[in-house]
């Protein structure tokens, strides 16, 4: 099949022939409470099985896959309430927005479909904190899988350093979420998490450091298993990252570079992160092989 990319000015659809693999909504209509930001949903395997969840009732700010940061100084670009030391979660007027500014690239070249754009990070009070350049690239990986490369560079445009952290850096134990976050379907609850060292649950693996981690879950209605694998680029800050992973309450996967320690971006400075995400019609046993194929997507060109 041939990759296709369709951009309607609000969202980009990446397709394998006539079969849509994912949709990237870069002009969302989310309310301020949900920290409006671009997101990937729906996300499907090559057989058409959906592996993402949008606005679940328990956390309406979870949206498929999104670059989501709950602690940016005292601003919240995750959505919902903010964890406050000594008080717990409090709804504050600090839910910021990642606003699309301009498209830099959109199209298909050979085996790759690519979309790149510039965004502005704007606090709820109107202050601009970051300019971001973000690109998404899609490539087919054989008959059973496809891969996404997510690449972001964030530049601090304020006169002061900005610290990026997590609820854990603000006092909540083992809640170091923040970064590229995937929320899976309801039917994936109690699925299997996979690391280079083996398998386990979210309670067992959350906070561990690994180069990659995967999640294998079952679908309702159809008798099928799907696999999601996320690989951290070796040149990312804090590589290999700690992982925020859940399986018991819901399916969630997040390489979390700010899990235990805040990262300070100086005034005028930039920070870059790259990830490869694999979506496959496969089970947990195929995760290591898929991780190898994804790692190759992150390698610099020869």
């Amino acid at each position: 099949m041939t990759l296709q990319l369709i951009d309607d000015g609000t969202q980009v659809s990446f397709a394998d022939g006539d079969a849509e693999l994912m949709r990237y909504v870069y002009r969302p209509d989310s309310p301020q409470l949900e920290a409006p930001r671009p997101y990937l949903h729906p996300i499907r395997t090559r057989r058409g099985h959906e592996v993402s969840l949008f606005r679940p009732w328990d956390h309406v700010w979870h949206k498929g896959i999104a670059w989501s940061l709950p602690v940016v100084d005292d601003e919240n670009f995750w959505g919902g309430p903010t964890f406050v030391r000594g008080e717990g979660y409090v709804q504050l007027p600090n839910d910021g927005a990642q606003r699309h500014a301009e498209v830099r690239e959109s199209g298909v070249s050979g085996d790759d479909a690519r979309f790149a754009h510039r965004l502005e990070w704007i606090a709820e009070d109107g202050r601009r904190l970051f300019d971001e350049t973000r690109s998404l690239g899609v490539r087919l990986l054989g008959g059973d899988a496809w891969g996404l490369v997510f690449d972001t560079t964030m530049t601090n445009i304020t006169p002061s350093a900005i610290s990026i952290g997590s609820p854990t850096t603000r006092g909540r134990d083992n809640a170091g979420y923040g970064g590229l976050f995937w929320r899976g379907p309801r039917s994936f609850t109690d699925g299997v998490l996979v690391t280079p060292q083996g398998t386990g649950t979210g309670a067992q693996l959350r906070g561990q450091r690994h180069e990659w981690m995967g999640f294998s879950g079952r679908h309702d209605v159809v008798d099928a298993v799907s696999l999601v694998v996320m690989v951290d680029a070796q040149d990312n800050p804090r590589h290999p990252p700690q992982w925020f992973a859940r399986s018991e309450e819901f399916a969630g996967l997040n390489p979390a570079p700010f899990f235990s320690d805040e990262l300070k971006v100086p005034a005028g400075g930039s920070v870059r992160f790259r990830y490869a995400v694999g979506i496959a019609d496969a089970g947990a046993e195929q995760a290591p092989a898929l991780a190898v194929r994804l790692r190759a997507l992150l390698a610099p060109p020869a």
Side-chain angles (χ1 to χ4, degrees), residues 176-226:
Y177 54 83
L180 195 66
F181 181 80
W182 166 77
R183 175 73 187 257
R186 290 278 180 195
S187 65
F188 279 30
T189 304
D190 295 324
V192 178
L193 284 156
V194 194
T195 76
Q197 280 68 53
T199 61
T201 66
Q204 293 166 336
L205 301 179
R206 189 160 50 252
Q208 291 187 5
R209 290 188 181 273
H210 298 285
E211 178 186 10
W212 61 265
M213 190 176 285
F215 197 112
S216 175
R218 300 198 66 90
H219 295 276
D220 289 329
V221 183
V222 294
D223 183 18
V225 176
S226 293

Side-chain angles (χ1 to χ4, degrees), residues 44-124:
R44 300 184 178 95
T45 71
R46 295 190 69 182
R47 292 180 187 169
H49 300 140
E50 195 167 302
V51 297
S52 58
L53 188 61
F54 177 74
R55 291 193 81 244
W57 60 263
D58 49 34
H59 299 78
V60 293
W61 43 88
H62 289 181
K63 295 177 171 64
I65 292 178
W67 181 245
S68 307
L69 303 180
V71 175
V72 179
D73 280 345
D74 292 324
E75 307 305 318
N76 180 343
F77 289 87
W78 176 275
T82 296
F83 185 82
V84 178
R85 192 184 300 270
E87 298 182 48
Y89 281 97
V90 181
Q91 186 59 57
L92 302 173
N94 69 340
D95 287 308
Q98 301 170 25
R99 294 184 187 168
H100 166 76
E102 62 176 332
V103 174
R104 293 284 179 85
E105 183 179 354
S106 182
V108 179
S109 176
D111 297 328
D112 296 292
R114 180 178 165 87
F115 178 82
H117 65 138
R118 185 175 67 83
L119 306 96
E120 297 175 339
W121 289 55
I122 303 175
E124 189 164 341

Side-chain angles (χ1 to χ4, degrees), residues 6-21:
I6 302 170
D7 182 358
D8 70 1
T10 298
Q11 58 188 9
V12 178
S13 175
F14 294 80
D16 175 12
D18 295 329
E20 185 180 60
L21 298 175

Side-chain angles (χ1 to χ4, degrees), residues 67 152-154 164 178 209-210 232-242 255-259 261-265 270-275:
W67 181 245
T152 175
T153 299
M154 298 173 60
I164 305 174
R209 290 188 181 273
H210 298 285
D232 191 75
Q234 293 185 354
D235 54 356
N236 280 352
R238 311 261 173 84
H239 176 84
Q242 290 179 273
F258 325 106
F259 195 109
D261 299 289
E262 295 193 349
L263 178 68
K264 187 169 290 188
V265 183
S270 298
V271 61
R272 183 185 186 191
F273 290 94
R274 297 186 302 129
Y275 302 93

